């Protein structure tokens, strides 16, 4: 049996068809996969690009089955934040393929990088960092084939910046585009013109089985994932003076005592839950509504160029990532409440006592999720 025939059989197109293999009878997919896996590139880094509902995840599973069946150590980087299937919600996940899979959720998760949102918007740099770090982790595991599934964000300035930066940084050997008409040409054209011998652009048609899902359906799916992940969770009190806090200004400066914060409360005409000095100004957390006119009074009296003012409620119900001293994600939680004066908070998480004892840092996301698993919108990263 020649190599192409062997690959076709392994992928489920021959008599040795297995569960979950060969579900997509798209001949262009079959030929593209055979050409990619028959190339001499190792490790193979296959970057999947496509709009919403084009079959990227199905193609990722198809490629994973084919590569694994061909005897190649295969990994999948699930960077589709809005509809991720590998690892905890709000993360870029890494899975190692142990055998035939129906969906990406069947793949064994081995690593996750916390992003803290359901889309890359507002967190472009974090998203790119997450994808690169997770790819590097896959290579450390010795993966010969890494399949990178991405979000359906392909239009607009953010998409152009994000996808171009991610492609440049991850340096895939193959950029596989699932195209409807010419919807991806604005992203592909620079790479076509560059003509890099180290990266091949491969165009394949959208799956004929791909169906459009509404925004409501996508949100319902995400909320189902939250409920499943947080089932059986409990609230854990965390002492913020003993753990590292990331992606927030809180507790990065010199905290003020009650007497120092009292004039700020008068100027803002509200309770001040927390205030601290920063090299470039002040960070003030107001408890409730405040008078913006008070900012100018504070700047003039204190002689600071900037006052970073936010509300205590911005911190409530934020998705957060709990990491150990090596920065490895232990699990995800929801920051239920913060007692700014005691410098403590309650994190709702499924982590047990043993895992919580290893928590050395908390990364705050921007997505709010209620204890019942409902999305509550996003804050801006600068809000905290």
């Amino acid at each position: 049996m020649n190599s192409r025939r062997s690959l076709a059989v392994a992928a489920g197109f021959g008599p040795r068809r297995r569960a979950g293999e060969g579900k997509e009878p798209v001949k262009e997919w079959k030929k593209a996969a055979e050409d990619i896996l028959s190339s001499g590139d190792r490790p193979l880094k296959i970057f999947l690009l496509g709009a919403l509902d084009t079959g990227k995840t199905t193609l990722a599973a198809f490629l994973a089955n084919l590569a694994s069946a061909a005897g190649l150590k295969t990994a999948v980087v699930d960077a589709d934040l809005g509809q991720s299937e590998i690892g905890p919600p709000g993360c870029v996940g890494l899975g190692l393929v142990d055998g035939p899979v129906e969906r990406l959720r069947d793949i064994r998760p081995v690593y996750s990088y916390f992003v803290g949102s359901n889309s890359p918007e507002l967190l472009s740099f974090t998203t790119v960092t997450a994808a690169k770090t997770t790819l590097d982790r896959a290579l450390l595991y010795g993966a010969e084939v890494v399949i990178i599934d991405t979000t359906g964000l392909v239009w607009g300035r953010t998409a152009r910046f994000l996808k171009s930066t991610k492609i440049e940084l991850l340096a895939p050997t193959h950029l596989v585009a699932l195209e409807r008409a010419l919807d991806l040409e604005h992203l592909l054209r620079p790479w076509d013109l560059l003509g890099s011998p180290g990266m091949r652009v491969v165009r394949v048609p959208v799956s004929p089985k791909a169906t459009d899902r509404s925004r409501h359906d996508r949100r319902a799916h995400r909320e189902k994932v939250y409920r499943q992940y947080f089932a059986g969770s409990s609230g854990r009190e965390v002492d913020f003076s003993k753990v590292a806090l990331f992606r927030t200004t809180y507790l990065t400066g010199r905290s003020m005592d009650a007497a120092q914060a009292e004039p700020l409360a008068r100027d803002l005409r509200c309770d001040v839950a927390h205030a601290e000095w920063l090299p470039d100004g002040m960070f003030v957390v107001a408890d409730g509504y405040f008078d913006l006119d008070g900012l100018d009074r504070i700047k003039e009296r204190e002689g600071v160029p900037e006052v970073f003012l936010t509300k205590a409620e911005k911190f409530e119900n934020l998705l957060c990532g709990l990491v150990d001293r090596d920065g490895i994600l232990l699990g995800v939680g929801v920051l239920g409440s913060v007692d700014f004066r005691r410098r403590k908070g309650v994190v709702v998480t499924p982590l047990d006592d043993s895992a919580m004892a290893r928590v050395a840092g908390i990364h705050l996301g921007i997505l709010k999720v209620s204890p019942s698993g409902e999305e509550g919108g996003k804050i801006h990263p600068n809000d905290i």
Side-chain angles (χ1 to χ4, degrees):
M1 184 180 293
N2 62 40
S3 61
R4 286 186 176 245
R5 173 62 176 164
S6 298
L7 289 172
V9 171
F13 289 101
R16 291 171 53 202
R17 184 166 178 165
R18 302 176 183 176
E21 297 177 337
K23 291 182 67 176
E24 286 295 335
V26 182
K27 63 180 180 180
E28 291 88 348
W29 285 21
K30 173 185 172 183
K31 183 180 185 305
E34 291 173 348
D35 289 343
I36 291 171
L37 294 179
S38 297
S39 71
D41 300 311
R42 294 293 184 273
L44 285 171
K45 294 182 288 184
I46 307 169
F47 189 106
L48 304 185
L49 182 66
L52 295 173
D53 302 318
T54 53
K56 293 189 302 297
T57 300
T58 302
L59 177 56
F62 170 79
L63 290 170
N65 279 327
L66 192 149
S68 178
L72 299 170
K73 188 168 185 178
T74 305
V76 176
V77 173
D78 185 354
D80 187 358
L81 290 173
Q83 302 292 304
S84 63
E85 296 194 8
I86 300 175
C91 300
V92 170
L94 171 64
L96 296 182
V97 183
D98 298 321
V101 296
E102 290 281 351
R103 298 292 302 272
L104 294 189
R105 68 172 66 98
D106 301 327
I107 296 175
R108 174 169 57 95
V110 295
Y111 176 83
S112 295
Y113 188 106
F114 180 76
V115 175
S117 186
N118 55 19
S119 76
E121 294 173 292
L122 298 178
L123 291 176
S124 293
F125 292 111
T126 303
T127 303
V128 171
T129 301
K132 179 62 166 66
T133 303
T134 308
L135 170 61
D136 290 345
R137 182 69 56 165
L139 298 178
L140 285 176
Y141 274 103
E144 299 170 276
V145 177
V146 184
I147 301 155
I148 305 158
D149 191 15
T150 64
T151 70
L153 182 65
V154 296
W155 298 307
R157 292 182 179 273
T158 298
R160 289 190 182 94
F161 166 81
L162 180 66
K163 289 297 192 287
S164 178
T165 302
K166 193 177 290 186
I167 292 168
E168 186 172 1
L169 189 62
L170 272 57
T173 57
H174 296 81
L175 177 57
V176 179
L178 284 151
E179 278 200 298
R180 281 193 179 107
L182 301 176
D183 62 345
L184 300 180
E185 288 305 306
H186 67 291
L187 297 175
L188 298 175
R189 181 172 173 78
W191 304 105
D192 274 334
L193 293 175
L194 185 65
S196 171
M199 185 183 74
R200 300 173 182 84
V201 177
V202 181
R203 291 170 172 81
V204 295
V206 171
S207 166
K209 295 184 179 181
T211 57
D212 292 338
R213 288 186 294 171
S214 68
R215 180 174 296 184
H216 176 271
D217 290 339
R218 290 178 173 279
R219 176 170 177 165
H221 170 75
R222 291 194 300 270
E223 292 181 340
K224 178 182 178 181
V225 172
Y226 302 142
R227 288 192 295 271
Q228 291 174 340
Y229 182 81
F230 289 110
S233 294
S234 59
R236 305 281 187 152
E237 187 174 74
V238 178
D239 188 341
F240 293 142
S241 65
K242 296 181 179 179
V243 298
L245 294 179
F246 297 93
R247 307 184 201 171
T248 178
T249 306
Y250 177 50
L251 295 182
T252 60
R254 179 166 54 88
S255 297
M256 299 183 191
D257 59 28
Q260 292 171 317
E262 198 275 333
L264 307 181
R266 288 200 307 268
D267 290 328
L268 296 171
R269 298 178 183 176
C270 69
D271 290 333
V272 171
H274 175 79
E276 57 188 87
W277 299 97
L278 302 172
D280 51 349
M282 287 181 179
F283 177 65
V284 180
V285 181
D287 194 357
Y289 292 101
F290 47 77
D291 181 3
L292 281 174
D293 292 337
L295 292 177
D296 290 333
R297 293 191 290 269
I298 294 173
K299 291 179 185 179
E300 182 177 355
R301 185 184 65 250
E302 303 294 342
V304 294
E306 192 64 69
V307 176
F308 303 95
L309 179 62
T310 191
K311 292 182 178 180
E313 65 186 37
K314 296 289 186 179
F315 288 81
E316 296 174 359
N317 290 337
L318 286 181
L319 204 63
C320 59
L322 310 174
V323 300
D324 65 14
R325 293 197 178 278
D326 294 319
I328 302 299
L329 186 72
L330 298 170
V332 169
V334 171
L335 183 57
S337 62
V338 178
D339 186 331
F340 290 95
R341 292 179 176 85
R342 295 175 59 232
R343 301 185 183 183
K344 293 184 178 181
V346 175
V347 176
V348 179
T349 178
L351 293 185
D352 58 20
D353 291 341
S354 175
M356 285 301 299
R358 296 166 54 201
V359 173
I362 299 178
H363 290 254
L364 299 186
I366 64 171
L367 178 67
K368 286 179 175 280
V369 178
S370 73
S372 60
E374 297 176 348
E375 290 184 346
K378 300 174 188 174
I379 63 168
H380 193 280
N382 292 342
D383 286 342
I384 56 172

